[in-house]
Amino acid sequence: MNGDQVLRAHVVDAVLAVVIGAIVVAAAAFDADTTPLDHALIVTGSLVLAAYRRAPCVVLAVTTVALTGYVLHAHPGPVSALPVVAAVHAAAQAGHRGVGAIASAVFLGGYLATDPTSQAAVERTALLAGWFLCAVVTGLAGRNWQAYLRQTEQRALEAERTREEAALRRAGEERLRIARELHDSLTHSISIVKLQAGVAVHLARKRGEEVPPALLAIQEAGGEAMRELRATLDVLRTDEPTGTPALLVERARAAGLAVDLTVSGAERPLTATVDRAAYRIVQEALTNAARHAGPAKVMVQLDYREGELEIRIDDDGSADPARPPTEGIGLTGMRERITALGGALHAGPRAEGGFSVRARLPLDAS
């Protein structure tokens, strides 16, 4: 239980203890022989019930001693057994049925000792014995019910975990199948096209002829297609990030892109899902900047805020607010990934020129 639930439980326990004590005190008020000592025993044996969750055996012992002393001193009616019955029920529910049975026997013995020769006293004692038996039985039933609920909750959690693992396994198997299909169907064909274009360029140069621009474009496009296909296959074979946003920035700089990285706020470890999403967002944004921004400068900002991570990638490239680009597969996948985590994404041209990607990810997303 969390803090609020614990506090509410303590308040409820205290209220029940006060109510039980008030009932016994009210019944004792009609007995002219009740003394201040008797009231003190009743109040002590009743109010201690508020602590039954933390120390059921101690509560049972104090209540039994206090109310048995009250019974032996004042010879009250059956209502005096109410705090002891409640303590026996709590002890049995906590698994101490033997202790509860002993406490019941002690109190019943004391109650019967007040007038062992009276038929009315014997009948009241038998009635109270039924109360105590019901307290033990209901306590055990409550304990079994709680155990059943915990077991059911555990089974539900286990079933959910199993479903998630099965879904992840099926997703991984499907990615591998797609990767194999793409490899088998496209890699060979693209390699043949690139090879034939390369041979044609070589022969043309060997003969001293001018290489047609279209042939050079085919050769270059074939090489680019092979690189893109390999990158796609790598992503399909594993959905785990292979580095950090800082490493992505270093790779982009090595490729000739002017990139700066700033980190603000209290940097802290991220959950696997948020870490993976942050990596993919920066990766996709830098890839788009390298392809479409031209000779631009890119700024990557990671801002660790209270409860969320904001990622911002801005470039001063050629994007024009008057002609917003069509959202492609990369941005669509990025938006779906962020939305699934409960975050938000804004991507579009900046008013001052260039393109901006801003994503907010909750740090507790899973």
Side-chain angles (χ1 to χ4, degrees), residues 74-309:
H75 301 179
V79 177
S80 60
L82 188 58
V84 186
V85 171
V88 168
H89 171 82
Q93 189 169 6
H96 308 292
R97 57 182 179 180
V99 178
I102 293 173
S104 302
V106 170
F107 181 84
L108 291 174
Y111 194 88
L112 183 61
T114 59
D115 191 6
T117 61
S118 170
Q119 181 180 358
V122 173
E123 290 177 351
R124 287 196 297 269
T125 303
L127 176 64
L128 290 178
W131 287 12
F132 282 108
L133 179 61
C134 289
V136 173
V137 172
T138 54
L140 291 176
R143 178 179 176 81
N144 293 336
W145 176 250
Q146 290 178 354
Y148 170 76
L149 291 179
R150 287 193 297 270
Q151 187 178 16
T152 302
E153 182 180 0
Q154 185 64 32
R155 284 201 299 265
L157 292 174
E158 182 67 20
E160 181 66 22
R161 184 184 64 82
T162 303
R163 282 196 297 269
E164 290 178 355
E165 290 179 352
L168 290 174
R169 186 175 62 254
R170 288 194 297 270
E173 292 171 352
E174 182 64 15
R175 287 199 306 271
L176 290 177
R177 187 190 67 80
I178 295 173
R180 287 193 299 268
E181 291 294 332
L182 286 176
H183 181 274
D184 295 341
S185 60
L186 295 180
T187 304
H188 178 71
S189 299
I190 295 176
S191 299
I192 293 299
V193 170
K194 182 174 180 296
L195 177 62
Q196 290 178 342
V199 171
V201 169
H202 174 72
L203 292 177
R205 287 172 176 169
K206 186 176 180 180
R207 291 193 297 265
E209 300 175 355
E210 182 180 357
V211 180
L215 195 57
L216 293 174
I218 292 173
Q219 185 183 30
E220 183 180 354
E224 180 66 21
M226 286 296 297
R227 289 190 292 270
E228 291 291 335
L229 182 58
R230 290 193 187 98
T232 302
L233 294 179
D234 288 340
V235 172
L236 287 173
R237 289 193 175 101
T238 173
D239 194 38
E240 297 298 323
T242 56
T244 63
L247 182 59
L248 289 173
V249 170
E250 291 298 327
R251 291 175 181 171
R253 287 173 181 165
L257 188 65
V259 189
D260 286 332
L261 172 65
T262 59
V263 179
S264 58
E267 188 172 359
R268 48 198 180 275
L270 304 175
T271 62
T273 51
V274 175
D275 187 48
R276 182 164 55 245
Y279 182 90
R280 296 305 187 200
I281 291 167
V282 175
Q283 182 183 48
E284 179 64 24
L286 291 179
T287 301
N288 288 340
R291 288 177 178 174
H292 308 300
K297 185 174 181 179
V298 184
M299 174 64 71
V300 179
Q301 296 175 318
L302 303 180
D303 186 8
Y304 290 84
R305 300 179 176 179
E306 184 66 28
E308 71 175 16
L309 170 66

Side-chain angles (χ1 to χ4, degrees), residues 28-63:
F30 292 97
D31 189 349
D33 297 331
T34 304
T35 64
L37 174 62
D38 298 324
H39 284 294
L41 291 173
I42 294 172
V43 171
T44 301
S46 300
L47 294 185
V48 74
L49 290 172
Y52 80 90
R53 295 181 189 269
R54 297 186 292 275
C57 289
V58 174
V59 169
L60 178 61
V62 173
T63 302

